[in-house]
Amino acid sequence: MKIVIKGTVQGVGFRPTVYRVATSLGLKGYVLNKGSNVEVGIQEKGKKDEFLNLLMKNLPPLATLDEIEVKDDPISGYKDFKIIMSTEGEKTSVTPVDTAICEECVKELFDEDNRRYLYPFINCISCGARFSVILNVPYDRANTSMRDFMMCEHCLAEYTTPLDRRFHAQTISCPRCGPKYTLYGRKGEVLDERNPIETCARLVDEGALAIAKSWGGMHLICTFDQVNRLRKLRGRASKPFAVMFRDLNAIEKYLELDEQEEKLLTSAHRPIVLLDERTLSNDLLAISPGLGTIGAYLPYSGLHHVLFHYLNSEGIIMTSANIPGEPMVLRNEDAFTLNADYFLLHNRRIVNRVDDSVVRCYEGKTFFLRRSRGFVPTSLKIPYEGMIVSMGAGENVTSSISKGGNLYTTQYIGNTYHYPTVEYLASSTEQLMRLLGLTMADVDAIGVDLHPRYPTRRYGKQLSEEFGIELVEVQHHWAHAASLLLDRGINEVVALALDGTGYGVDGKAWGGEILNSNYYSFERVGSLEEIPLVGGEKAIKDPRRLVFAIFSLLRRDTHTAQFVNEQEAKILEKLLKKAPKTSSFGRVLDALSCYLGICQRMTYDGEPAMKLERYLAEGKRRYEFETFVKTVDRKIVMTLPLFDQLAEYRIDTEKDKADIAYSFVYALVKEMVEIAADTCRTSDITAIGITGGVSYDVPIVRMAEALVKEKGLRFLTHDKIPNGDGGISVGQNAVVGHLRTKS
Ligand SMILES: [Zn+2]
Ligand SMILES: [Zn+2]
């Protein structure tokens, strides 16, 4: 009989496991990769249950099964059990993810007698680079960038020995036959081929900025005390950098760590986890100025383990190496344009770029700030059929593809206002389709954002016209709400969709929305009052303009004078009359942050609101703010009266700032929850959820959760799909998929 096993079953040591189980039972037959499934043939029909039971107990750690199909299809003529080479077949699922080097491999890596002692490309059947090296399915060496390296006889012996840890490990290699690191200088001259990692570690300890090529990209690395040089080099005035630490002990010296965070940090996914700083006066302060959190992670590739073996430092700054605004560099020759001191590069091609994933923990849930390495391209189950491609929004873009009841999302792409990023979106979408065995001819519909100027929308429209595919527009905050529905497996929610900005159905900039939503429709039951963006986008970079606009409308000239001089005021006043307006929650936070003197200039996306977060985390409800709601076609929570009250309070200390900030935001959230709860009552909905970029702000989520629970309603946050715009393509896909199923 034949058994077809579907799911993440390739590149995870599935065939060797089947082989071991089958031979231990004395079965005759075969196992092979067919497309992206695994097919097992067993001659002894009566032993099927015994075989499957034993297999289930011995599944490789990275395998996930979606379906097991048993066909009563007799086979004969097998004298033993064997692994057969792959054949082209139905492609239903994709490759496994890049997986941190396992403990067994780490042990070998530091065993002086092992032939892979300190060999940075060490890996086995259950660990190593996967997605970053795969060109096509099925997952065989010939379809990966390891095809450029011929196995030596030792590796071949391991590869063909059924009981070996590297039996059929497609990326197997060793110092004799595998890829190699070389250390280069600024002009591309070779500095060290014998001990490149050791030399690089010494130079970094001494204060050098180096670029280190990894599996799916390159990192700029340096010690903590070189942060200002790094900032100058990258043109990043105060944007935080991630830190890779030697081990958990090193992390705990600097940062707070709970059980969930520890589990994520040490998981095979190895994401960057945002952790709270233990004290505010330590070496890390300049790495993440004014935030109180650091993105920390642990070594995941062999290179990282070997680097720390030689480094004296307990941790190093480790940030994606790219030209600002563009995707991470992939090719060795491009690395040299980045102006580092040294370049630690290897000679294996990166096929698929994957940035490090970034997460934050909240009460057992995982907020994905960036879902990429270690998580892509795992799929999500979806309750609709059809082949839909969705393109995301403008920033933090991903695209998503549905096929056969599963949803696949690309790695983190970035900000598509830069052309190379749009190209990256196109190539990643095409690559994911290739891995799924799809072409544009298979696509039923394309989902895009409403925003007329988003490059992602232009890209979707272009494909739709070229291939004659239906184009469906999905409003931005509805897509956020739908991504939350899918994330939590429910069908309706009253969503607090809070973010910086998204294009509304009325053509205005939304961002502080209360949406009664399901997959088929949504109703905007409430929003924040609109405030003017003086000079449009400029008001986002310069939050003083928000403060100016607010206090001008409140006729509090003495307040505006604190933020802009007379000359500026004259110009801004003229601009105020024709300024576009926004109901964005993020802009209110920006204005508050600016008014309180916490952040008056945005140097990176979300900075004023992010810096306010630390104050919200420490603040208490010590001030009263009265809220007002105006009812028109929806309920509008008035924000200007809150600023009017704010102007009456004296602010002397940091504690005053924290308590004022907390009390102000609390009043706003409380009123929004009131409206959402009223909507639940009238429409028989039992859950209020929070989504959008603001929902990464843990103090705000905490406030909302407490307020929703007081109402006796369920409170929902994200867990698997990014809260922010990285989840938009998922929400678009779900909406388009459901609308199509209905019609
Ligand atoms: Zn391993
Ligand atoms: Zn070898």
Side-chain angles (χ1 to χ4, degrees):
M1 64 183 351
K2 282 183 187 164
I3 303 167
V4 178
I5 303 165
K6 299 181 181 178
T8 305
V9 289
Q10 292 185 15
V12 295
F14 206 88
R15 286 175 301 173
T17 305
V18 168
Y19 177 90
R20 280 193 282 267
V21 168
T23 46
S24 76
L25 295 174
L27 303 180
K28 298 185 181 70
Y30 66 89
V31 58
L32 58 82
N33 279 349
K34 204 165 196 182
S36 51
N37 302 327
V38 162
E39 184 180 291
V40 186
I42 294 177
Q43 218 157 277
E44 297 83 352
K45 193 176 163 186
K47 295 238 178 163
K48 182 202 82 183
D49 291 340
E50 199 181 341
F51 167 74
L52 282 176
N53 283 338
L54 194 60
L55 181 63
M56 291 308 128
K57 281 187 199 132
N58 289 286
L59 284 181
L62 294 172
T64 52
L65 303 193
D66 292 340
E67 197 188 332
I68 297 176
E69 194 186 322
V70 180
K71 295 182 194 162
D72 204 0
D73 214 351
I75 61 161
S76 61
Y78 288 89
K79 295 194 175 63
D80 54 9
F81 199 89
K82 61 172 103 183
I83 296 181
I84 305 181
M85 286 305 288
S86 304
T87 61
E88 282 286 326
E90 186 203 2
K91 296 174 183 179
T92 57
S93 138
V94 283
T95 20
V97 300
D98 283 13
T99 300
I101 295 305
C102 72
E103 276 175 41
E104 287 278 298
C105 284
V106 172
K107 242 184 256 162
E108 286 186 15
L109 189 60
F110 295 114
D111 172 4
E112 289 181 37
D113 297 327
N114 193 285
R115 68 190 193 90
R116 292 191 179 84
Y117 177 58
L118 301 181
Y119 175 57
F121 293 92
I122 191 166
N123 71 91
C124 71
I125 198 72
S126 41
C127 74
R130 296 287 189 276
F131 176 69
S132 57
V133 298
I134 193 168
L135 294 146
N136 207 342
V137 286
Y139 175 65
D140 273 331
R141 192 179 182 96
N143 279 332
T144 73
S145 54
M146 284 305 291
R147 70 181 181 191
D148 303 338
F149 302 90
M150 202 149 68
M151 270 184 238
C152 69
E153 74 265 33
H154 295 293
C155 287
L156 188 64
E158 291 171 330
Y159 184 84
T160 48
T161 304
L163 291 172
D164 196 277
R165 291 205 307 117
R166 296 190 174 86
F167 180 52
H168 281 239
Q170 304 301 337
T171 53
I172 188 173
S173 70
C174 75
R176 274 184 61 195
C177 66
K180 284 182 177 56
Y181 273 96
T182 304
L183 186 69
Y184 300 90
R186 281 175 174 270
K187 295 191 186 85
E189 73 277 22
V190 173
L191 296 182
D192 194 336
E193 282 184 295
R194 293 180 61 93
N195 300 303
I197 304 176
E198 183 178 6
T199 306
C200 184
R202 180 173 52 77
L203 292 165
V204 167
D205 268 334
E206 287 168 7
L209 294 183
I211 282 181
K213 185 173 175 184
S214 182
W215 291 342
M218 300 201 195
H219 291 103
L220 259 164
I221 61 173
C222 67
T223 49
F224 299 164
D225 55 359
Q226 296 301 313
V227 63
N228 289 329
R229 242 188 99 204
L230 181 62
R231 289 202 178 283
K232 233 173 254 158
L233 178 76
R234 303 300 318 280
R236 272 162 73 154
S238 58
K239 194 172 178 182
F241 294 111
V243 173
M244 181 174 278
F245 287 92
R246 176 182 294 279
D247 52 27
L248 277 176
N249 288 337
I251 292 183
E252 281 190 304
K253 271 187 206 165
Y254 297 95
L255 303 163
E256 303 274 354
L257 198 56
D258 70 19
E259 212 177 304
Q260 189 199 355
E261 289 159 344
E262 186 175 323
K263 220 172 132 191
L264 270 162
L265 281 164
T266 54
S267 70
H269 309 294
R270 291 291 149 99
I272 294 171
V273 182
L274 285 196
L275 300 174
D276 290 334
E277 289 175 24
R278 279 199 181 279
T279 59
L280 285 172
S281 56
N282 64 34
D283 309 352
L284 302 183
L285 205 56
I287 297 173
S288 173
L291 294 180
T293 56
I294 290 274
Y297 58 151
L298 290 172
Y300 59 86
S301 76
L303 168 72
H304 303 146
H305 287 282
V306 179
L307 252 183
F308 275 104
H309 174 75
Y310 290 119
L311 278 169
N312 291 321
S313 312
E314 286 184 296
I316 47 172
I317 298 175
M318 195 159 200
T319 185
S320 298
N322 58 335
I323 296 166
E326 294 190 9
M328 192 158 50
V329 293
L330 295 187
R331 299 184 314 168
N332 290 3
E333 54 266 41
D334 295 336
F336 293 111
T337 64
L338 293 183
N339 240 339
D341 302 324
Y342 299 99
F343 302 82
L344 183 58
L345 307 175
H346 61 68
N347 56 344
R348 182 171 74 191
R349 206 151 46 100
I350 297 171
V351 180
N352 299 306
R353 179 191 284 112
V354 277
D355 286 77
D356 297 312
S357 293
V358 185
V359 303
R360 178 166 206 184
C361 297
Y362 175 77
E363 305 290 333
K365 296 282 183 291
T366 306
F367 293 171
F368 279 90
L369 287 102
R370 193 194 286 160
R371 190 177 173 280
S372 217
R373 178 189 45 80
F375 296 94
V376 169
T378 48
S379 65
L380 269 172
K381 286 265 164 244
I382 44 170
Y384 54 89
E385 289 294 321
M387 232 304 289
I388 293 130
V389 181
S390 47
M391 300 303 180
E395 291 170 9
N396 285 313
V397 163
T398 59
S399 67
S400 290
I401 299 164
S402 65
K403 185 199 172 190
N406 288 299
L407 185 64
Y408 304 85
T409 299
T410 62
Q411 66 271 47
Y412 161 86
I413 304 293
N415 178 345
T416 50
Y417 302 125
H418 299 264
Y419 183 70
T421 320
V422 184
E423 279 186 321
Y424 178 29
L425 174 70
S427 64
S428 303
T429 307
E430 282 164 23
Q431 171 67 347
L432 188 54
M433 288 180 66
R434 185 175 310 125
L435 293 174
L436 291 166
L438 297 168
T439 66
M440 275 296 157
D442 303 312
V443 178
D444 297 315
I446 295 173
V448 292
D449 197 279
L450 273 181
H451 200 304
R453 283 191 309 277
Y454 276 170
T456 53
R457 178 200 163 90
R458 219 158 33 229
Y459 171 53
K461 195 156 178 272
Q462 182 197 321
L463 289 177
S464 137
E465 284 163 5
E466 191 178 338
F467 295 95
I469 306 166
E470 183 191 4
L471 188 74
V472 185
E473 298 166 333
V474 182
Q475 198 279 325
H476 190 90
H477 301 92
W478 184 22
H480 273 309
S483 76
L484 182 62
L485 292 175
L486 193 67
D487 195 332
R488 303 305 304 275
I490 52 170
N491 292 316
E492 52 182 11
V493 71
V494 179
L496 307 179
L498 314 178
D499 65 3
T501 188
Y503 198 81
V505 292
D506 56 2
K508 289 184 182 173
W510 294 10
E513 313 305 314
I514 307 166
L515 305 181
N516 181 354
S517 14
N518 56 46
Y519 288 120
Y520 303 97
S521 64
F522 76 98
E523 185 197 352
R524 188 189 196 195
V525 292
S527 79
L528 295 187
E529 179 184 10
E530 290 168 345
I531 54 174
L533 289 170
V534 180
E537 293 287 309
K538 279 189 184 148
I540 299 171
K541 289 221 155 66
D542 181 3
R544 296 177 314 139
R545 289 173 176 237
L546 294 169
V547 176
F548 171 84
I550 289 165
F551 288 103
S552 295
L553 294 173
L554 290 169
R555 304 197 180 284
R556 286 181 175 271
D557 296 346
T558 50
H559 281 82
T560 56
Q562 292 169 27
F563 293 89
V564 296
N565 62 38
E566 232 170 281
Q567 208 180 350
E568 281 178 305
K570 266 187 201 145
I571 301 166
L572 294 180
E573 221 157 297
K574 274 189 205 137
L575 291 172
L576 180 59
K577 290 188 191 79
K578 52 181 179 187
K581 290 179 170 187
T582 181
S583 57
S584 161
F585 198 102
R587 295 294 92 82
V588 171
L589 295 176
D590 289 349
L592 186 59
S593 178
C594 177
Y595 180 83
L596 294 174
I598 294 165
C599 178
Q600 304 205 322
R601 179 125 199 96
M602 188 199 93
T603 66
Y604 60 88
D605 192 32
E607 180 178 2
M610 280 164 73
K611 288 190 165 161
L612 182 71
E613 189 188 316
R614 213 183 80 219
Y615 288 83
L616 292 176
E618 287 159 14
K620 299 264 174 316
R621 197 150 63 89
R622 192 155 62 90
Y623 298 82
E624 278 310 316
F625 281 91
E626 198 184 343
T627 46
F628 300 89
V629 174
K630 193 164 113 189
T631 306
V632 279
D633 59 330
R634 61 184 189 276
K635 286 186 173 158
I636 298 175
V637 182
M638 306 303 284
T639 41
L640 289 189
L642 292 173
F643 283 100
D644 206 19
Q645 294 166 66
L646 175 65
E648 295 295 324
Y649 288 123
R650 252 187 80 120
I651 305 154
D652 295 321
T653 63
E654 290 291 291
K655 185 172 170 6
D656 290 348
K657 282 186 192 174
D659 292 345
I660 287 250
Y662 187 93
S663 307
F664 182 108
V665 174
Y666 182 88
L668 205 54
V669 174
K670 184 167 190 290
E671 196 53 63
M672 296 190 96
V673 169
E674 283 298 333
I675 295 168
D678 283 345
T679 310
C680 283
R681 211 167 304 130
T682 51
S683 26
D684 262 340
I685 296 174
T686 55
I688 295 176
I690 190 162
T691 182
V694 172
S695 73
Y696 291 120
D697 194 314
V698 164
I700 292 179
V701 178
R702 241 181 252 294
M703 279 178 208
E705 169 150 32
L707 288 162
V708 168
K709 287 193 167 157
E710 269 174 36
K711 299 276 175 195
L713 294 160
R714 260 181 92 195
F715 180 72
L716 299 177
T717 65
H718 281 270
D719 188 27
K720 300 188 280 285
I721 299 166
N723 311 25
D725 285 2
I728 287 288
S729 71
V730 177
Q732 291 169 341
N733 208 292
V735 165
V736 177
H738 280 86
L739 289 176
R740 280 181 48 84
T741 313
K742 196 182 176 188
S743 60

PDB file of all heavy atoms in Angstrom, residues 115-116 151-152 154-155 173-178, ligand 2:
ATOM      1  N   ARG A 115      35.759  15.932  12.999  1.00  0.00           N
ATOM      2  CA  ARG A 115      36.309  16.503  11.762  1.00  0.00           C
ATOM      3  C   ARG A 115      35.633  17.819  11.375  1.00  0.00           C
ATOM      4  O   ARG A 115      36.081  18.507  10.461  1.00  0.00           O
ATOM      5  CB  ARG A 115      36.266  15.482  10.634  1.00  0.00           C
ATOM      6  CG  ARG A 115      34.881  15.108  10.152  1.00  0.00           C
ATOM      7  CD  ARG A 115      34.963  13.903   9.213  1.00  0.00           C
ATOM      8  NE  ARG A 115      33.685  13.745   8.525  1.00  0.00           N
ATOM      9  CZ  ARG A 115      33.412  14.328   7.356  1.00  0.00           C
ATOM     10  NH1 ARG A 115      34.322  15.054   6.772  1.00  0.00           N
ATOM     11  NH2 ARG A 115      32.232  14.154   6.800  1.00  0.00           N
ATOM     12  N   ARG A 116      34.557  18.177  12.087  1.00  0.00           N
ATOM     13  CA  ARG A 116      33.936  19.477  11.842  1.00  0.00           C
ATOM     14  C   ARG A 116      34.214  20.446  12.987  1.00  0.00           C
ATOM     15  O   ARG A 116      33.460  21.404  13.193  1.00  0.00           O
ATOM     16  CB  ARG A 116      32.429  19.312  11.624  1.00  0.00           C
ATOM     17  CG  ARG A 116      32.086  18.574  10.337  1.00  0.00           C
ATOM     18  CD  ARG A 116      30.610  18.643  10.010  1.00  0.00           C
ATOM     19  NE  ARG A 116      30.306  17.945   8.768  1.00  0.00           N
ATOM     20  CZ  ARG A 116      30.093  16.625   8.695  1.00  0.00           C
ATOM     21  NH1 ARG A 116      30.152  15.869   9.782  1.00  0.00           N
ATOM     22  NH2 ARG A 116      29.827  16.068   7.521  1.00  0.00           N
ATOM     23  N   MET A 151      30.229  16.782  -2.619  1.00  0.00           N
ATOM     24  CA  MET A 151      30.510  16.070  -1.361  1.00  0.00           C
ATOM     25  C   MET A 151      31.815  15.276  -1.455  1.00  0.00           C
ATOM     26  O   MET A 151      32.067  14.614  -2.459  1.00  0.00           O
ATOM     27  CB  MET A 151      29.401  15.038  -1.126  1.00  0.00           C
ATOM     28  CG  MET A 151      28.229  15.535  -0.343  1.00  0.00           C
ATOM     29  SD  MET A 151      27.091  14.150  -0.075  1.00  0.00           S
ATOM     30  CE  MET A 151      25.615  14.796  -0.818  1.00  0.00           C
ATOM     31  N   CYS A 152      32.617  15.312  -0.391  1.00  0.00           N
ATOM     32  CA  CYS A 152      33.813  14.461  -0.322  1.00  0.00           C
ATOM     33  C   CYS A 152      33.382  13.047   0.076  1.00  0.00           C
ATOM     34  O   CYS A 152      32.217  12.823   0.417  1.00  0.00           O
ATOM     35  CB  CYS A 152      34.824  15.012   0.675  1.00  0.00           C
ATOM     36  SG  CYS A 152      34.274  14.905   2.388  1.00  0.00           S
ATOM     37  N   HIS A 154      33.961  11.309   2.720  1.00  0.00           N
ATOM     38  CA  HIS A 154      33.493  11.185   4.110  1.00  0.00           C
ATOM     39  C   HIS A 154      32.051  11.643   4.232  1.00  0.00           C
ATOM     40  O   HIS A 154      31.223  10.999   4.888  1.00  0.00           O
ATOM     41  CB  HIS A 154      34.360  12.035   5.044  1.00  0.00           C
ATOM     42  CG  HIS A 154      35.779  11.575   5.120  1.00  0.00           C
ATOM     43  ND1 HIS A 154      36.133  10.369   5.691  1.00  0.00           N
ATOM     44  CD2 HIS A 154      36.925  12.151   4.692  1.00  0.00           C
ATOM     45  CE1 HIS A 154      37.444  10.238   5.607  1.00  0.00           C
ATOM     46  NE2 HIS A 154      37.953  11.295   4.996  1.00  0.00           N
ATOM     47  N   CYS A 155      31.770  12.786   3.622  1.00  0.00           N
ATOM     48  CA  CYS A 155      30.402  13.312   3.689  1.00  0.00           C
ATOM     49  C   CYS A 155      29.438  12.364   2.962  1.00  0.00           C
ATOM     50  O   CYS A 155      28.341  12.092   3.446  1.00  0.00           O
ATOM     51  CB  CYS A 155      30.333  14.713   3.090  1.00  0.00           C
ATOM     52  SG  CYS A 155      31.078  15.951   4.155  1.00  0.00           S
ATOM     53  N   SER A 173      28.135  19.092   4.596  1.00  0.00           N
ATOM     54  CA  SER A 173      29.452  19.478   4.081  1.00  0.00           C
ATOM     55  C   SER A 173      30.453  19.404   5.223  1.00  0.00           C
ATOM     56  O   SER A 173      30.069  19.141   6.361  1.00  0.00           O
ATOM     57  CB  SER A 173      29.433  20.886   3.484  1.00  0.00           C
ATOM     58  OG  SER A 173      29.277  21.852   4.498  1.00  0.00           O
ATOM     59  N   CYS A 174      31.713  19.605   4.891  1.00  0.00           N
ATOM     60  CA  CYS A 174      32.759  19.582   5.909  1.00  0.00           C
ATOM     61  C   CYS A 174      33.886  20.496   5.456  1.00  0.00           C
ATOM     62  O   CYS A 174      33.832  21.036   4.344  1.00  0.00           O
ATOM     63  CB  CYS A 174      33.246  18.144   6.133  1.00  0.00           C
ATOM     64  SG  CYS A 174      34.311  17.550   4.805  1.00  0.00           S
ATOM     65  N   PRO A 175      34.900  20.701   6.295  1.00  0.00           N
ATOM     66  CA  PRO A 175      35.967  21.633   5.906  1.00  0.00           C
ATOM     67  C   PRO A 175      36.648  21.232   4.592  1.00  0.00           C
ATOM     68  O   PRO A 175      37.195  22.076   3.890  1.00  0.00           O
ATOM     69  CB  PRO A 175      36.965  21.533   7.061  1.00  0.00           C
ATOM     70  CG  PRO A 175      36.181  21.024   8.210  1.00  0.00           C
ATOM     71  CD  PRO A 175      35.107  20.157   7.640  1.00  0.00           C
ATOM     72  N   ARG A 176      36.589  19.958   4.243  1.00  0.00           N
ATOM     73  CA  ARG A 176      37.259  19.524   3.014  1.00  0.00           C
ATOM     74  C   ARG A 176      36.471  19.858   1.759  1.00  0.00           C
ATOM     75  O   ARG A 176      37.034  20.148   0.712  1.00  0.00           O
ATOM     76  CB  ARG A 176      37.502  18.008   3.053  1.00  0.00           C
ATOM     77  CG  ARG A 176      38.795  17.644   3.770  1.00  0.00           C
ATOM     78  CD  ARG A 176      39.037  16.164   3.711  1.00  0.00           C
ATOM     79  NE  ARG A 176      39.160  15.669   2.352  1.00  0.00           N
ATOM     80  CZ  ARG A 176      39.088  14.382   2.028  1.00  0.00           C
ATOM     81  NH1 ARG A 176      38.881  13.475   2.972  1.00  0.00           N
ATOM     82  NH2 ARG A 176      39.220  14.000   0.779  1.00  0.00           N
ATOM     83  N   CYS A 177      35.140  19.776   1.870  1.00  0.00           N
ATOM     84  CA  CYS A 177      34.348  19.889   0.645  1.00  0.00           C
ATOM     85  C   CYS A 177      33.344  21.046   0.626  1.00  0.00           C
ATOM     86  O   CYS A 177      32.749  21.323  -0.411  1.00  0.00           O
ATOM     87  CB  CYS A 177      33.618  18.578   0.386  1.00  0.00           C
ATOM     88  SG  CYS A 177      32.365  18.195   1.622  1.00  0.00           S
ATOM     89  N   GLY A 178      33.140  21.714   1.770  1.00  0.00           N
ATOM     90  CA  GLY A 178      32.049  22.693   1.833  1.00  0.00           C
ATOM     91  C   GLY A 178      32.478  24.120   1.564  1.00  0.00           C
ATOM     92  O   GLY A 178      33.618  24.380   1.178  1.00  0.00           O
TER      93      GLY A 178
HETATM   94 ZN    ZN B   2      32.983  16.676   3.149  1.00  0.00          ZN
END
